[in-house]
Amino acid sequence: MKIRRVLATAVALAVTTPAVLLSVSPAYADAKPAAQTQEKQSKPTIKELEEAAAEAQKAYDKAAKAEAAGRIELEKTLDDLSEVNGTHPLAVASAAAKQTAEDAAAAKTAADQAVTGAKAALDALTEDATEEERTAAETALSEAEATATAAATAKTAADTAAAEAREKLDDARVAAVRAYGVLQNAEENALAVKVAADAALAKAIKEAEEAGEGEEGEEGGACEPELDLTSKVTGLPDKLVAGTSTDFSLRVTNGSDRHMDEVLAFVSVHATDRSGLKDTGKFFRLQWSTKSAPKWQNAEPDDYIDGVGALKPGAHADVKLRLTLDKATPAGNGVAFFAADFFNEDGSCGGAPDLDMYEFDVKAAGSKPGKTEDAKPSTTPRPGNTGTTPQGSASATPVTTGTNGSLAATGSSSATTPIALAGGAAVLLGAAAVFVARRRKTGTDA
């Protein structure tokens, strides 16, 4: 059964583009700690999503303009830094040092040739040569050798100076390209956020048209939040090393007094490099297996895990998970999201109103993980919560990932429901953005 949590992609974008998200709109992120922003939040309206999309468009336009200006500036800077007719002081110094090295090389060549000539002149003397002639030839050879030694020393010094000047020039070129690269990344990230915002708006409009603002199940029963349907993760370490695989588990528990005909788990993993700007998710492979589906299967970021089955009141089911990191995975930060939903044959449906978010560090291949503890979930009460404790334990730095209703999709086995049904993309995007912003601010050493 494929049931998408719409905007799961937007979550990934939020995790990988915090700098852009934090500048797009207050609706997308709140830089204040989550503990200070737990007042009730309502589901974003279509008007609010339109405003957020407009802000995303403005951010992209601004980033595109900056990229274009940066490209022109880069071309000018690289021309100035050219060793051929470059006007930058480093280019002038490098060209001068290069010329000095070439002159020193020519002087050494001439000095070596003089030594060769002096030796030949000395060897050419016959037995009839006078003592004065022999002494003069030996003196000429000695002087030529001294000159050659000095020329060799001068050439070594000139070569070193030329290499240092060239290295400084190269560093300046690299710095200019990197500076432009930041603008390029900013434009790409802003475009990604714009696409996500547009998709969220389009999806919300479509859902409103199809469901008449009242998300209902197959038989007309509304999907409801179910606080007693919980998902608890064990064995997921807070540090992962590239080139390794980690097995952990997810226990889904029906703590309610109702029978759930079909329960599905939602698992999604996202990661970035140390900068928080580059998405490294392509290096991750998440797999799952259950008692009813023991063969390892790939977990797609937009799909539910459908191997849980039915759960009686008080019953639970375990999902085995395996997260494999490619050897090329860059060091950085990661986050895993977990939740669960249910569907009944009578059309009723619902699910966990919160997404549990687990933070972890990513270390480069060959790193020693050191003392590794289980990752802790970061959650706070969902918007609109009136005091009920959300699933998962609160970490020292809670991050809101909650929503304002069921995240469950409705009806048939191929139904799709936007995350707006559960409380809105803005909340989820903001939570992920704040999460990465906080990790970058603390300077976590991955």
Side-chain angles (χ1 to χ4, degrees):
M1 175 184 294
K2 182 177 181 181
I3 303 177
R4 300 189 58 187
R5 288 204 180 218
V6 178
L7 292 185
T9 301
V11 176
L13 292 172
V15 173
T16 57
T17 57
V20 178
L21 280 172
L22 290 173
S23 67
V24 169
S25 170
Y28 271 61
D30 188 341
K32 297 180 181 179
Q36 299 177 18
T37 58
Q38 295 182 8
E39 56 273 356
K40 294 182 180 180
Q41 301 179 49
S42 60
K43 172 183 174 180
T45 64
I46 289 180
K47 181 180 179 181
E48 289 172 335
L49 290 175
E50 287 175 339
E51 291 174 351
E55 289 298 321
Q57 179 68 56
K58 290 179 181 178
Y60 169 68
D61 291 342
K62 183 177 181 181
K65 184 177 180 180
E67 185 277 334
R71 184 170 62 253
I72 295 174
E73 184 64 25
L74 173 64
E75 293 173 354
K76 180 179 180 299
T77 299
L78 292 180
D79 285 342
D80 291 343
L81 291 171
S82 172
E83 280 188 325
V84 180
N85 299 323
T87 59
H88 192 282
L90 290 177
V92 174
S94 180
K98 180 181 179 181
Q99 185 61 53
T100 299
E102 291 175 352
D103 292 343
K108 181 179 180 303
T109 298
D112 290 340
Q113 291 175 347
V115 170
T116 300
K119 285 182 178 180
L122 179 61
D123 293 340
L125 293 177
T126 65
E127 294 181 355
D128 297 335
T130 65
E131 186 65 24
E132 289 79 5
E133 291 174 335
R134 187 169 298 278
T135 298
E138 291 175 346
T139 299
L141 175 60
S142 178
E143 291 176 348
E145 290 176 337
T147 299
T149 299
T153 300
K155 180 181 181 302
T156 299
D159 287 344
T160 300
E164 291 176 349
R166 185 168 55 253
E167 183 177 2
K168 291 180 180 180
L169 183 62
D170 290 342
D171 288 345
R173 291 169 177 163
V174 170
V177 173
R178 285 178 177 172
Y180 171 65
V182 171
L183 297 177
Q184 275 188 314
N185 288 336
E187 181 191 23
E188 292 173 1
N189 294 332
L191 177 59
V193 174
K194 173 188 174 300
V195 171
D198 289 343
L201 174 60
K203 196 65 180 181
I205 293 175
K206 181 179 179 181
E207 289 295 328
E209 292 174 348
E210 292 180 351
E213 296 295 345
E215 281 59 79
E216 297 183 345
E218 196 169 328
E219 302 298 328
C223 289
E224 302 174 352
E226 179 52 75
L227 292 173
D228 292 323
L229 179 60
T230 60
S231 3
K232 182 179 180 181
V233 174
T234 57
L236 175 62
D238 61 2
K239 294 181 179 64
L240 300 176
V241 178
T244 65
S245 293
T246 300
D247 288 354
F248 59 105
S249 62
L250 173 69
R251 170 162 291 187
V252 180
T253 301
N254 177 10
S256 73
D257 57 1
R258 75 169 95 185
H259 182 278
M260 298 179 180
D261 295 330
E262 184 175 19
V263 175
L264 303 110
F266 176 79
V267 181
S268 187
V269 176
H270 305 287
T272 71
D273 63 358
R274 284 194 180 112
S275 72
L277 295 175
K278 182 179 180 181
D279 180 8
T280 59
K282 66 180 181 181
F283 298 103
F284 288 71
R285 183 188 183 193
L286 180 66
Q287 296 174 290
W288 66 270
S289 70
T290 62
K291 185 177 180 180
S292 62
K295 185 178 180 180
W296 285 107
Q297 301 184 47
N298 291 332
E300 300 299 333
D302 293 344
D303 291 353
Y304 275 104
I305 293 175
D306 57 7
V308 178
L311 283 182
K312 298 179 180 179
H316 67 262
D318 293 322
V319 179
K320 295 180 180 179
L321 295 165
R322 174 173 294 168
L323 185 57
T324 302
L325 280 65
D326 189 272
K327 284 186 177 181
T329 307
N333 305 315
V335 59
F337 296 105
F338 301 91
D341 291 317
F342 75 89
F343 300 91
N344 288 333
E345 293 180 0
D346 63 4
S348 60
C349 56
D354 297 307
L355 279 173
D356 272 347
M357 185 166 72
Y358 288 73
E359 311 167 15
F360 57 86
D361 294 332
V362 179
K363 293 182 173 293
S367 301
K368 294 181 179 180
K371 183 177 180 182
T372 300
E373 300 178 353
D374 284 353
K376 296 295 188 286
S378 296
T379 59
T380 58
R382 68 190 186 286
N385 193 351
T386 57
T388 305
T389 302
Q391 63 180 24
S393 60
S395 69
T397 318
V399 179
T400 299
T401 57
T403 55
N404 194 22
S406 170
L407 280 169
T410 59
S412 67
S413 61
S414 62
T416 59
T417 299
I419 227 160
L421 180 153
V427 175
L428 193 55
L429 288 169
V434 171
F435 158 69
V436 177
R438 171 168 55 78
R439 288 179 67 82
R440 292 179 65 200
K441 184 177 181 181
T442 57
T444 301
D445 181 10

